[in-house]
Amino acid sequence: MRIDGKHYRSVWVDEDGWTVRIFDQTRLPWALDVLRLTDEEQVAHAIRSMQVRGAPLIGAVAAYGVALALRRDPSTAGLDAAVAMLGRTRPTAVNLAWAVGRMRAALHNLPPGERAAAAYAEAASIADDDAETCRRIGAHGLPLLREIAEARPSGGTVNVLTHCNAGWLATVDWGTALSPIYQAHDAGLPIHVWVDETRPRNQGAALTAWELGRHGVPHTVVADNAGGHLMQHGRVDICIVGTDRVARNGDVANKIGTYLKALAARDNGVPFWVAMPHSTLDTGAADGVSGIPIEERGAEEVTDLTGRTADGRMETVRVVPEGSPAANPAFDVTPARLVSGLITERGRCEASEAALLALYPDKA
Ligand code: MRU
């Protein structure tokens, strides 16, 4: 990913060879602060508080959390405790369980003295795999955007609607839903993105808008409720969103509000595509509505809003009357029947058990 011409990843190891660096996403877009993580508790806090967020990224950062834990305690009990503790930090994105499970599998048979170095190598491999996976998702999604552009005799801008942030800030690099958009933009296709603000935490308004802007991709932030209206008036050519967990039957969990966009897309004949890396497929969940745990987050994310004041301070204000309770389900499930297809690193496929298992026989 590029920020004003410079290449970054969303997680990296410091020059000292062991501390882990991330951007503090709770400070974006107002400040680009880099955090230094030195133990697994700091990693767990960063994931819970959403200093890092996005399904693939929390998996990669948790993998580095296991490596940090093993520097202090490389015993089997230490490994198991770190894997269990980090795996519990957020429930919906299956990438987290996938990544710490992969760490445990790679390390538990090694002598304790070799585990820390091997853990850093395995975490780096998970990060590299994610960056390459997301690049390929972009390559497989790009033809969808090209087809829309070419179907227009006069050219004309391709309007994409996206929800939440499934860009490079949510992954190690490239993003999932935004990867085809970046690749289309870089290939010279005229692209414009409708960015859902994504209440309650505003990942669209704060993060997607910021990263698209840094890359120079034209975009417009809209209130979450605007998508149906835009689709009704022919102003959305395609929806592309990310996902935190795809069930065996093709049901897709993603940020709360995704389901409503899929319903509006179906009603208006707008294609609704979901970008899915292999680490997000959970063939152990037979269907999404009953099989995917939905994270409930604190009510204060709904009752309060954080922004920047005119004089440049970050401030949090309450927007709900004192005494009114608030509920905060953080994800919802879009049934497979509303999904036009999945864009994966292995190609595009239907959102169905047969198509998923044909593409991922290794996960059957
Ligand atoms: O709560 P968040 O910000 O971690 O939720 C992120 C999303 O819902 C993303 O769309 C999803 O993780 C896919 S990221 C490539």
Side-chain angles (χ1 to χ4, degrees):
M1 69 225 192
R2 293 200 302 270
I3 305 175
D4 301 328
K6 189 170 174 207
H7 183 262
Y8 290 86
R9 280 184 168 189
S10 303
V11 58
W12 67 98
V13 175
D14 196 77
E15 282 169 5
D16 65 12
W18 70 275
T19 54
V20 176
R21 298 286 194 159
I22 56 167
F23 294 113
D24 182 350
Q25 298 196 24
T26 63
R27 301 271 300 159
L28 283 168
W30 306 287
L32 186 62
D33 291 347
V34 175
L35 293 178
R36 183 170 177 267
L37 306 176
T38 59
D39 64 37
E40 70 276 21
E41 290 298 340
Q42 288 177 358
V43 169
H45 170 75
I47 295 172
R48 282 192 209 103
S49 66
M50 294 178 62
Q51 287 170 327
V52 277
R53 30 69 50 205
L57 183 60
I58 60 177
V61 175
Y64 279 113
V66 173
L68 288 170
L70 291 176
R71 289 186 83 238
R72 286 191 303 164
D73 178 2
S75 68
T76 300
L79 171 61
D80 287 346
V83 163
M85 186 276 288
L86 289 161
R88 279 194 302 268
T89 47
R90 290 192 76 191
T92 302
V94 75
N95 311 61
L96 186 58
W98 170 85
V100 294
R102 179 169 150 177
M103 292 297 285
R104 188 179 182 283
L107 302 169
H108 78 282
N109 282 333
L110 294 180
E114 293 176 18
R115 280 183 181 151
Y120 275 96
E122 190 66 13
S125 159
I126 286 173
D128 289 347
D129 172 84
D130 186 60
E132 176 59 12
T133 292
C134 289
R135 188 193 65 75
R136 286 175 191 229
I137 286 173
H140 289 299
L142 171 58
L144 290 172
L145 301 173
R146 203 185 287 285
E147 276 163 28
I148 294 169
E150 286 173 359
R152 305 233 167 101
S154 57
T157 299
V158 178
N159 285 294
V160 187
L161 182 139
T162 194
H163 193 71
C164 194
N165 172 261
W168 59 252
L169 286 167
T171 65
V172 174
D173 205 350
W174 286 103
T176 58
L178 296 195
S179 183
I181 291 167
Y182 287 130
Q183 296 193 29
H185 175 80
D186 291 351
L189 285 186
I191 292 277
H192 166 263
V193 185
W194 295 109
V195 178
D196 284 350
E197 62 175 343
T198 317
R199 277 281 284 149
R201 289 190 66 107
N202 286 331
Q203 289 96 326
L207 305 177
T208 300
W210 181 78
E211 62 168 275
L212 288 173
R214 297 283 76 69
H215 199 98
V217 179
H219 62 279
T220 306
V221 179
V222 287
D224 284 326
N225 303 326
H229 165 79
L230 294 170
M231 292 185 218
Q232 235 169 17
H233 289 269
R235 300 177 71 190
V236 179
D237 296 303
I238 183 171
C239 301
I240 308 181
V241 299
T243 171
D244 291 81
R245 192 182 297 227
V246 175
R248 190 181 183 97
N249 69 346
D251 289 352
V252 166
N254 193 46
K255 182 52 54 190
I256 192 77
T258 303
Y259 175 36
L260 293 176
K261 293 296 138 57
L263 285 169
R266 172 56 55 91
D267 194 44
N268 290 284
V270 173
F272 188 91
W273 284 82
V274 178
M276 180 202 81
H278 62 87
S279 51
T280 306
L281 175 58
D282 180 7
T283 49
D287 81 280
V289 178
S290 65
I292 298 180
I294 299 296
E295 179 178 13
E296 289 280 341
R297 292 189 61 87
E300 73 286 351
E301 293 183 351
V302 176
T303 58
D304 299 359
L305 274 175
T306 300
R308 189 173 62 183
T309 60
D311 59 359
R313 287 172 296 113
M314 264 179 80
E315 206 162 284
T316 299
V317 295
R318 187 170 171 106
V319 291
V320 171
E322 295 295 344
S324 288
N328 189 10
F331 297 92
D332 60 23
V333 171
T334 299
R337 66 176 182 278
L338 298 177
V339 176
S340 305
L342 301 165
I343 310 167
T344 84
E345 74 285 353
R346 297 188 187 177
R348 299 192 301 271
C349 77
E350 200 182 80
S352 70
E353 176 167 347
L356 279 167
L357 295 186
L359 209 53
Y360 292 97
D362 44 315
K363 293 223 181 200

